[in-house]
Amino acid sequence: MEIDYKHIKVIGFDADDTLWVNETYFREAELEIQQLLSVYETPNKIDQELYRVEIDNLPIYGYGIKAFTLSMVEVALELSNYNLPNKTIEAILNIGKAMLEKPVELLDGVEEVLKKLSGKYRLILATKGDLLDQERKLAKSGLTDYFHHIEVLSDKKESNYSKLLNHLDIKPSEFLMVGNSLKSDVLPLVNIKSNAIHVPFHTTWAHEQVTEKETNGKTYKTVSGLKEILMLLN
Ligand SMILES: [Mg+2]
């Protein structure tokens, strides 16, 4: 089915893994913590436990690197049977700090796409995670001026989007969200009768993955790269 974008007035962009690299740094950190805790457990078990603790902590910590760092410490304490050397705790904190100091690496075509679309549409940035960290990345990205509005959400569920659109006086039918996560950037929008384009990134956190059942019958478009949306919108 052809999707019509002629009613679109405002385009929302996800940031992490849509505009710039993010998840890759988490995968690298997971390898580092596996190495660091290899005296206690197998890489697989460490991975499993870390994911379990992260999900358990989501309601209180939310998303982002600081939450991830606290979860790494918690897992290390548990797997070491609470005999964790101080040096290891320090090494874990350093993994987190190094993540917070990573350069911002823009994905292919980002500037070109934002530049072209900003002439015709109102662009907003809608991301979740740590406020301070997202502000840091946005400042480093040099993309701030393309956006009319920047929103750092604690989560990206239907209600978060409805509130945002209401607040900005945007009709769901006039809004298009672009992002790499079906769970956070696509399905909630389709469910509130808005619009979404999926731009997959090569790696996705398990928590952001969805089943075929959840996407069945949902109307949205998937493109292989950000630049493709220029063709869909013109
Ligand atoms: Mg993302």
Side-chain angles (χ1 to χ4, degrees), residues 206-226:
H207 178 66
E208 294 291 325
Q209 280 161 18
V210 296
T211 60
E212 227 184 285
K213 207 174 141 198
E214 290 173 87
T215 56
N216 232 336
K218 304 283 161 111
T219 308
Y220 62 89
K221 200 124 196 146
T222 300
V223 296
S224 58
L226 207 58

Side-chain angles (χ1 to χ4, degrees), residues 91-198:
I92 294 170
L93 295 176
N94 284 338
I95 295 175
K97 282 184 185 168
M99 291 173 81
L100 289 166
E101 285 164 354
K102 289 272 181 200
V104 171
E105 192 187 328
L106 295 186
L107 294 172
D108 185 44
V110 165
E111 279 244 58
E112 180 192 337
V113 167
L114 295 180
K115 196 175 217 168
K116 285 198 175 141
L117 293 178
S118 63
K120 193 172 166 195
Y121 301 91
R122 198 145 57 96
L123 306 186
I124 68 172
L125 187 81
T127 176
K128 66 183 181 190
D130 276 334
L131 178 61
L132 185 65
D133 189 37
Q134 294 297 13
E135 286 175 345
R136 166 190 74 90
K137 288 187 278 188
L138 185 61
K140 277 190 185 171
S141 74
L143 301 173
T144 311
D145 289 347
Y146 291 113
F147 298 104
H148 278 82
H149 179 80
I150 287 145
E151 186 84 14
V152 181
L153 303 145
S154 59
D155 211 339
K156 283 175 149 181
K157 301 205 165 113
E158 278 90 345
S159 58
N160 303 99
Y161 282 110
S162 292
K163 233 185 259 175
L164 175 66
L165 294 185
N166 250 329
H167 183 75
L168 297 177
D169 224 355
I170 303 166
K171 288 189 194 126
S173 60
E174 296 171 348
F175 184 67
L176 169 70
M177 183 71 195
V178 177
N180 71 296
S181 168
L182 284 170
K183 182 176 182 158
S184 296
D185 307 316
V186 176
L187 295 180
L189 283 303
V190 177
N191 291 340
I192 61 163
K193 299 193 163 48
S194 190
N195 309 278
I197 294 179
H198 182 216

